[in-house]
C-alpha cells in the first residue's frame, strides 16, 4: 500500500515502476466471496429467499457490498458461475430472456440460397435471465444489478416470469424442428429447448440490487424478500478494511482516522461508497504515502489526496 508520484508533469519520458495494484483491481478479477462480511440480518434474508424460492432485493448505498452477496452464496452452495444482468434505462425483459439475430439469419439465407439448411440455432442465444431458468441439476445464481435504474415498467414486466418460472421463444415455437440447442449466456454450452418452451426445474437464486433511488410497485415487492444494508459503523468498516488489506500496527492509527472521517461524513448526509474508503486507505497508508496528517481541514498532501478519492458522489 504505497503512493509514488509516477507522473511528474515535465513531459520527460522515464521508466516508472507502477507497483502492485489494490487487491480489488487485479485482473482478471478475483472473487471477493471469502472477504465479504455479511451484516446482521443478511444471512437470515438469504436463507429465507432460498427456502421460499423468492428473489432477494438488497437495497443500500453504492459500494456497500450488495452485489458481493450472491458471489458468496454461489460459492458456498456450489451454484456455479454467477449470471449477471446489469440494468440500464434501456434494458428490456426480452433481452434478458433471449437474443435473436433476425437480420443475421436473413443474410445467411440469402448467401446459402434455396439449398441452405436454414439452421436457426446460430442466431439465437439465451440472455442471463433465460439461462437462469433453463432446467439444471442445481439452481443457477443470477444477479440483477441496479434494478432501480430500469425503465418504470421493467419490474412489473418481470412479475409473470418470476411467478411462473417459464417463458416461450416464439421463433422456436413455430420452427420446423421440435428441439433446438441454444447457447447459454456467457458459455459455450448449448442445452436443448423443446418446442420453444423454457421451464425451470428448480427456481434460480436471484439477487436484485437497488441504490434506493426509486420506489417499486407493491405487487413486485411482495414477491421479494427485502433487505436493507445497514449504515456502516466504525467497527464494521474496520472489519471490511481488514478483510481487503493487510494493516500493521504502525498503520492502524492512520486507518482509524480515515474510517472516523468517513463515518462522520456519512452521518452529515454525504453520499460516499465503501470502496472509496478502501481506495483512501490503500493510497494514504504505507511507507511512501503522501506526507501530512489526514484531518478534516488541514491542506496537507495527504488531505488533498483524500479529497480526490473521497469525493462526494452526488457532485460532478
Amino acid at each position: 500500500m504505497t503512493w509514488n508520484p509516477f507522473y511528474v508533469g515535465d513531459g520527460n519520458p522515464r521508466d516508472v515502476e507502477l507497483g502492485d495494484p489494490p487487491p480489488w483491481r487485479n485482473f482478471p478479477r478475483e472473487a471477493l466471496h471469502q472477504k465479504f462480511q455479511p451484516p446482521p440480518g443478511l444471512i437470515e434474508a438469504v436463507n429465507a429467499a432460498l427456502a421460499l424460492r423468492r428473489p432477494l432485493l438488497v437495497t443500500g448505498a453504492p459500494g456497500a457490498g450488495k452485489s458481493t452477496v450472491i458471489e458468496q452464496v454461489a460459492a458456498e452452495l456450489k451454484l456455479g458461475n454467477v449470471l449477471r444482468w446489469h440494468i440500464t434505462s434501456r434494458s428490456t425483459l426480452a433481452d434478458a430472456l433471449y437474443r435473436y439475430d433476425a437480420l443475421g439469419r436473413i443474410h445467411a439465407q440469402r448467401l446459402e440460397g434455396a439449398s441452405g439448411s436454414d439452421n436457426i440455432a446460430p442466431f439465437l442465444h439465451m440472455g442471463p435471465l433465460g439461462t437462469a431458468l433453463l432446467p439444471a441439476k442445481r439452481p443457477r445464481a443470477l444477479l440483477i444489478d441496479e434494478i432501480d435504474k430500469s425503465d418504470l415498467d421493467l419490474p412489473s414486466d418481470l412479475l409473470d416470469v418470476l411467478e411462473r418460472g417459464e417463458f416461450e421463444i416464439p421463433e422456436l415455437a413455430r420452427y420446423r424442428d421440435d428441439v433446438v440447442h441454444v447457447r447459454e449466456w456467457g458459455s459455450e454450452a448449448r442445452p436443448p429447448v423443446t418446442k420453444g418452451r423454457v421451464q425451470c426445474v428448480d427456481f434460480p437464486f436471484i439477487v436484485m440490487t437497488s441504490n434506493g433511488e426509486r420506489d417499486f410497485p407493491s405487487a413486485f415487492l411482495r414477491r421479494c424478500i427485502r433487505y436493507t444494508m445497514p449504515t456502516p459503523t466504525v467497527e464494521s468498516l474496520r472489519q471490511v478494511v481488514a478483510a481487503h488489506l493487510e494493516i500493521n500496527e504502525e498503520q492502524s492509527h492512520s486507518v482509524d482516522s480515515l474510517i472516523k472521517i468517513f463515518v462522520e461524513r456519512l452521518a452529515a448526509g454525504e453520499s460516499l461508497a465503501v470502496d472509496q474508503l478502501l481506495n483512501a486507505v490503500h493510497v494514504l497508508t504505507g511507507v511512501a504515502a503522501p506526507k501530512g496528517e489526514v484531518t478534516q481541514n488541514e491542506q496537507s498532501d495527504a488531505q488533498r489526496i483524500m479529497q480526490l478519492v473521497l469525493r462526494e458522489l452526488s457532485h460532478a
Side-chain angles (χ1 to χ4, degrees):
M1 296 181 294
T2 61
W3 173 266
N4 288 301
F6 312 116
Y7 167 67
V8 177
D10 58 12
N12 294 323
R14 56 178 59 84
D15 294 324
V16 176
E17 177 55 53
L18 297 179
D20 295 329
W24 54 91
R25 293 300 293 169
N26 274 313
F27 295 93
R29 297 292 295 272
E30 296 180 3
L32 299 176
H33 58 268
Q34 291 182 323
K35 301 180 183 297
F36 180 67
Q37 307 288 317
L42 179 58
I43 292 176
E44 290 79 4
V46 167
N47 285 323
L50 288 166
L52 297 171
R53 305 304 198 269
R54 290 290 189 184
L56 174 63
L57 176 61
V58 182
T59 303
K66 301 186 298 297
S67 60
T68 312
V69 176
I70 194 168
E71 293 183 10
Q72 191 172 71
V73 176
E76 284 194 20
L77 303 186
K78 298 182 179 179
L79 303 183
N81 293 331
V82 175
L83 300 163
R84 297 173 184 273
W85 179 21
H86 185 75
I87 300 295
T88 71
S89 60
R90 299 181 301 277
S91 298
T92 66
L93 176 62
D95 285 341
L97 294 175
Y98 72 98
R99 314 284 175 89
Y100 173 53
D101 182 9
L103 292 178
R105 185 182 176 200
I106 292 172
H107 182 65
Q109 288 174 329
R110 288 176 176 173
L111 289 177
E112 294 178 6
S115 60
S117 62
D118 188 28
N119 182 10
I120 195 174
F123 307 101
L124 276 167
H125 74 271
M126 291 295 181
L129 177 57
T131 299
L133 294 174
L134 286 167
K137 294 180 180 179
R138 299 278 290 167
R140 297 298 303 267
L142 170 66
L143 173 66
I144 304 178
D145 201 18
E146 297 191 331
I147 192 168
D148 47 354
K149 298 288 196 301
S150 71
D151 176 86
L152 289 176
D153 293 331
L154 182 59
S156 297
D157 292 343
L158 274 169
L159 292 181
D160 185 59
V161 174
L162 295 181
E163 279 298 290
R164 297 171 60 85
E166 65 177 2
F167 68 97
E168 182 183 72
I169 302 176
E171 291 82 1
L172 294 185
R174 56 179 179 260
Y175 189 60
R176 63 167 186 261
D177 297 335
D178 286 345
V179 178
V180 177
H181 293 262
V182 182
R183 182 164 61 89
E184 291 185 357
W185 180 262
S187 168
E188 291 302 317
R190 297 177 181 271
V193 175
T194 302
K195 296 184 178 179
R197 298 297 302 176
V198 174
Q199 171 71 66
C200 73
V201 174
D202 206 345
F203 192 76
F205 175 60
I206 299 176
V207 171
M208 297 181 285
T209 70
S210 167
N211 292 331
E213 297 177 356
R214 63 177 278 194
D215 296 326
F216 296 103
S218 58
F220 174 78
L221 292 176
R222 72 178 178 84
R223 289 169 168 83
C224 302
I225 301 298
R226 289 174 282 163
Y227 178 82
T228 300
M229 300 291 280
T231 301
T233 64
V234 170
E235 185 54 39
S236 68
L237 290 173
R238 282 195 187 114
Q239 294 176 3
V240 171
V241 171
H244 287 82
L245 298 166
E246 295 181 5
I247 305 298
N248 58 40
E249 189 173 344
E250 292 180 3
Q251 298 165 327
S252 61
H253 174 72
S254 297
V255 171
D256 278 351
S257 296
L258 285 167
I259 291 174
K260 290 174 182 176
I261 290 172
F262 184 85
V263 171
E264 288 171 3
R265 290 178 60 179
L266 286 179
E270 292 191 49
S271 177
L272 296 168
V274 175
D275 55 358
Q276 289 177 282
L277 173 63
L278 292 173
N279 291 339
V281 172
H282 179 81
V283 170
L284 294 172
T285 61
V287 177
K291 302 299 181 183
E293 289 291 325
V294 177
T295 67
Q296 284 280 37
N297 47 32
E298 183 184 345
Q299 284 298 309
S300 63
D301 288 345
Q303 176 66 18
R304 284 189 286 270
I305 297 301
M306 189 185 74
Q307 289 177 345
L308 283 172
V309 296
L310 281 182
R311 190 166 181 174
E312 217 268 347
L313 294 176
S314 61
H315 297 159

